[in-house]
Amino acid sequence: MLDFLGTLERTHRCGELRASDAGKEVVIMGWVNRRRDHGNLIFLDVRDRSGIIQVVLDKELVPEGHAKGEQVRPEYVVAAVGKLRLRAKDAINPKMPTGEVELETTKLLVLNDTKLAPFSPADEAIANEEVRLKFRYVDLRRHEMQRNFRLRHDITLAIRESLSRQGFLEIETPILCKSTPEGARDFLVPSRVHAGEFYALPQSPQIFKQLLMISGFDRYFQIARCFRDEDLRADRQLEFTQVDLEMSFPRQDSVFAVVEDFLTSGFAAAGITLPKPFPRITYDESMRLYGSDKPDMRLPGLTDVRAAFADADLDSLKFDPALPVIALRIPNVGELSRKEREDNHPLFDEKKGAKFIDDFKRLAKSFPAAVDKIRELTGAQEADFVIIVAGDPAHHIQASDTKFPGRLSEREIAVFSAAGNFRVELSKKYADRHGAFKVTDEVVVAAAANSEADVKPGPLDGAQAFQPIWVTDFPMFEYDAEHKQWMPAHHPFTSPHESDMANLLTDPASVRANCYDLAMNGLELGSGSIRIHSQDVQKQIFTSLKISEEEAKARFGFFLDALEYGTPPHGGHRAGA
RNA sequence: GGGGACGUAGCUCAGUUGGUUAGAGCGCUGCCCUGUCACGGCAGAGGUCGCGGGUUCGAGCCCCGUCGUCCCCGCCA
């Protein structure tokens, strides 16, 4: 028989109770996490979103309460009334935040019973995804899930506060809308009124936010839901959330300052301190130093050691002398056996037209002078694992050899990125040995522990663990070999560098974009650009993309019209949430 | 669209070369227990080995098909 709640009111959340509350008359309500029945003495762990408190039912003192405690099972909903008391010294549980106290119960109400779910929120091992989703409401009772939701709330609140403080207005944009030509497949919603026609769900608020700038809202942001009907991955969902923003009259620096502020605020809400301002690197430098446009800077970068080799050396090693010779080193990996090295071979992508030498010892025997020089250039220690990556003349990839002053050719990029990918794969594989990722794990664990308490301890220094960096000056276009045409690397509204405009038609590969990514630890956190605000430039871009006027009109018509009605210079950013 | 792994008790999983009655831990049910906190003790229930077909004297195990789940590639401007 269930009890009625009546006029009883909760006085505290379970997890909030501390030694300083001892002596108080307390009413708590929640779910039974575990029951420990000692016959005449029963302990109930009662749980709500704040945590767990031990409720004691003594048959001698409260026979009715004890009798109810005997019927109670895990996940029953109960209310317990009584006096909070300090536990005896030898009964203190240092593993629980509430472990110094317990509730000496005078009255126990059973508010609801439960069917037996296939798993319990108190379980250590978690059930498979399918079962968890079917019983989502039970799964979400788990401490870890409650903590994640809370953390997300804290972070988005901090982001809203930061952006609002910086003069941004949060504005919602339509969900049911016209299909816009972005990269992914649209989700479609059939229209009841217009049979046979469909609404599309937005892949991002890109067009809307640019329209808002044209409308004079000046600074806009939105924590926006985006929809893309593409195949899933473990870290990719059909609907996801972005922090989306756009501002008028921006310089690139002003966008960076805004993003750095909301991001550091968000991390601070998770108890992690990021140093401001974030470092910056151009796309070309990033390719040169990390072989990637989203560098992971927790480990040493790449070193071009071409100069260490005489031309004759390169010839006998069958390295392409026109391309960089790259040393990549991963600290403290130690010496690898031949078998271990062979197991690593599949991690290297030979299709990029590059080859490698991973037997540094043998290289030292044949080319001692070169190896000395490499050690000097890379600062490699005895215990470091060093691999040489170079262009393979036998494996020429299809690429133009055009080179621009101070910029990388496609073929160079191919070698750098082959080395960069290898660096990342090997870093993951030998994470235990170099230990550079461990710092991150430790900070994450510590931050998670912080977020469990209502009052957070001091912030953690995440400077070593989380290394954000701006990557700037991306190429404007990428060559799509399959369709034999130039494609926008970002999107077609990204503005080109003013100084590169002259090459738009003659030499698309050389044009840099006012476009930037924010990378952290080898992941892309977000990206953005300064947009095109002039109809003129926009037309030139379409021309170089070989998009005809009719086609442009059909695909972006209303947006191009809008550009003709007083569009301010504007730019923005979006970041995954 | 392509590739891989998996599917055995409510949950997490083991099951050897194809061989008698398919196991463990947790959970569940009953009984005992006044200081536990992943309480403990005793007893017990619980299985269409995803499904269909085949090979075999004999299939959880081998083969074919099928369904489902997860992961990866393509895809995600």
Side-chain angles (χ1 to χ4, degrees):
Chain A
M1 185 64 184
L2 297 177
D3 296 309
F4 292 110
L5 188 54
T7 56
L8 196 62
E9 264 192 78
R10 175 166 73 172
T11 61
H12 295 80
R13 286 215 167 88
C14 302
E16 294 166 353
L17 296 163
R18 292 292 180 276
S20 55
D21 298 307
K24 287 184 184 163
E25 293 295 331
V26 162
V27 180
I28 56 105
M29 302 185 188
W31 288 260
V32 174
N33 198 58
R34 278 205 172 85
R35 189 178 73 118
R36 291 177 294 279
D37 186 346
H38 289 236
N40 289 331
L41 185 69
I42 297 173
F43 298 100
L44 299 180
D45 289 342
V46 178
R47 181 196 69 232
D48 61 23
R49 78 170 204 212
S50 66
I52 288 171
I53 183 74
Q54 174 162 281
V55 165
V56 187
L57 297 158
D58 191 321
K59 191 171 190 179
E60 265 180 32
L61 301 176
V62 271
E64 316 83 45
H66 179 272
K68 280 195 175 151
E70 285 187 316
Q71 303 157 23
V72 155
R73 292 291 176 271
E75 298 312 304
Y76 277 31
V77 185
V78 297
V81 184
K83 193 198 256 180
L84 195 76
R85 70 179 177 208
L86 290 171
R87 295 196 193 183
K89 274 221 171 63
D90 56 350
I92 287 174
N93 184 349
K95 285 186 278 183
M96 300 172 71
T98 61
E100 287 182 74
V101 290
E102 63 190 2
L103 186 62
E104 182 184 357
T105 310
T106 52
K107 194 170 159 195
L108 183 75
L109 299 182
V110 179
L111 301 176
N112 214 342
D113 58 11
T114 180
K115 285 171 91 171
L116 189 64
F119 61 95
S120 148
D123 283 348
E124 303 279 308
I126 52 175
N128 70 65
E129 188 103 19
E130 219 179 339
V131 180
R132 285 172 59 197
L133 288 175
K134 183 169 175 190
F135 293 87
R136 183 70 165 160
Y137 37 88
V138 177
D139 191 39
L140 292 184
R141 286 179 197 161
R142 285 170 46 226
H143 178 66
E144 191 190 351
M145 299 302 257
Q146 298 260 326
R147 189 183 68 203
N148 290 347
F149 276 58
R150 190 205 167 92
L151 188 60
R152 195 183 171 93
H153 164 83
D154 289 343
I155 290 170
T156 52
L157 181 63
I159 290 173
R160 283 198 165 89
E161 279 170 352
S162 159
L163 289 170
S164 180
R165 186 179 355 101
Q166 299 185 79
F168 284 76
L169 301 182
E170 182 169 15
I171 301 174
E172 290 186 272
T173 52
I175 295 294
L176 294 172
C177 52
K178 192 177 137 135
S179 173
T180 53
E182 295 176 84
R185 271 185 291 270
D186 285 321
F187 269 105
L188 298 177
V189 179
S191 162
R192 177 184 56 85
V193 177
H194 305 283
E197 297 191 59
F198 297 85
Y199 301 98
L201 304 182
Q203 297 178 24
S204 75
Q206 181 64 36
I207 297 269
F208 296 124
K209 70 176 176 179
Q210 291 191 251
L211 294 174
L212 288 172
M213 291 305 103
I214 299 172
S215 306
F217 283 100
D218 198 85
R219 289 186 162 204
Y220 137 95
F221 85 97
Q222 181 178 197
I223 298 183
R225 210 45 96 81
C226 307
F227 306 87
R228 292 178 192 174
D229 188 9
E230 295 293 341
D231 289 345
L232 298 170
R233 283 289 184 286
D235 59 348
R236 202 163 78 197
Q237 289 174 318
L238 301 175
E239 52 177 306
F240 57 95
T241 305
Q242 289 183 345
V243 179
D244 187 56
L245 65 86
E246 193 77 11
M247 57 202 284
S248 296
F249 316 113
R251 288 177 307 119
Q252 186 168 283
D253 284 359
S254 30
V255 179
F256 286 4
V258 165
V259 174
E260 287 175 11
D261 191 281
F262 90 67
L263 208 76
T264 48
S265 302
F267 269 78
I272 295 165
T273 306
L274 295 181
K276 264 197 300 187
F278 301 165
R280 300 173 193 187
I281 191 172
T282 65
Y283 170 84
D284 280 356
E285 281 177 83
S286 181
M287 291 310 294
R288 232 189 274 276
L289 273 172
Y290 299 98
S292 165
D293 60 4
K294 35 178 195 268
D296 190 329
M297 298 181 304
R298 292 171 299 177
L299 286 165
L302 309 172
T303 314
D304 189 342
V305 295
R306 168 71 178 79
F309 292 94
D311 285 354
D313 296 346
L314 295 182
D315 195 46
S316 61
L317 287 165
K318 298 206 167 60
F319 284 172
D320 190 327
L323 290 174
V325 178
I326 300 156
L328 82 89
R329 80 174 167 101
I330 301 175
N332 296 317
V333 171
E335 206 164 317
L336 296 184
S337 69
R338 201 161 69 95
K339 166 94 171 63
E340 281 178 298
R341 289 202 306 269
E342 249 164 47
D343 288 345
N344 290 335
H345 286 194
L347 301 177
F348 187 80
D349 186 0
E350 286 178 346
K351 280 185 228 114
K352 292 188 186 288
K355 58 193 287 192
F356 67 94
I357 291 178
D358 57 1
D359 193 342
F360 200 59
K361 247 187 160 173
R362 217 175 111 193
L363 191 72
K365 265 182 203 158
S366 318
F367 306 92
V371 163
D372 283 348
K373 185 79 182 156
I374 290 168
R375 285 199 182 283
E376 188 193 319
L377 289 169
T378 60
Q381 305 296 306
E382 208 43 51
D384 294 355
F385 183 41
V386 179
I387 291 184
I388 306 297
V389 178
D392 184 352
H395 260 101
H396 253 191
I397 55 156
Q398 290 282 338
S400 69
D401 246 339
T402 25
K403 202 170 167 178
F404 318 103
R407 304 216 36 217
L408 296 172
S409 73
E410 272 186 81
R411 206 168 275 165
E412 285 173 316
I413 286 176
V415 177
F416 279 117
S417 80
N421 289 338
F422 207 19
R423 169 179 180 266
V424 168
E425 293 299 328
L426 293 169
S427 302
K428 280 188 206 154
K429 182 162 175 182
Y430 296 111
D432 285 348
R433 302 197 195 171
H434 61 68
F437 301 164
K438 235 181 111 188
V439 193
T440 314
D441 298 344
E442 278 164 11
V443 173
V444 167
V445 168
N450 278 3
S451 68
E452 285 171 31
D454 275 344
V455 184
K456 291 196 174 82
L460 301 155
D461 186 359
Q464 284 298 307
F466 300 96
Q467 301 199 24
I469 183 168
W470 290 107
V471 183
T472 63
D473 301 321
F474 273 75
M476 183 82 185
F477 305 105
E478 280 168 358
Y479 191 70
D480 180 345
E482 194 185 335
H483 298 96
K484 299 208 166 134
Q485 61 179 351
W486 292 96
M487 303 285 289
H490 188 55
H491 58 58
F493 313 123
T494 303
S495 65
H497 271 223
E498 286 169 27
S499 54
D500 294 345
M501 288 275 301
N503 299 337
L504 265 181
L505 295 178
T506 51
D507 194 359
S510 73
V511 179
R512 289 164 299 171
N514 286 315
C515 172
Y516 34 84
D517 275 11
L518 182 60
M520 183 188 273
N521 297 359
L523 299 171
E524 185 201 313
L525 286 195
S527 73
S529 61
I530 306 298
R531 327 293 181 193
I532 297 167
H533 63 276
S534 99
Q535 175 77 320
D536 237 24
V537 177
Q538 188 67 66
K539 275 185 182 152
Q540 287 188 55
I541 297 297
F542 283 144
T543 310
S544 51
L545 288 170
K546 301 224 163 42
I547 296 175
S548 70
E549 208 162 313
E550 296 78 51
E551 193 186 349
K553 210 164 210 151
R555 286 169 64 185
F556 315 100
F558 70 98
F559 182 72
L560 297 181
D561 289 346
L563 279 183
E564 296 186 79
Y565 289 87
T567 300
H570 60 290
H573 190 87
R574 50 118 206 128

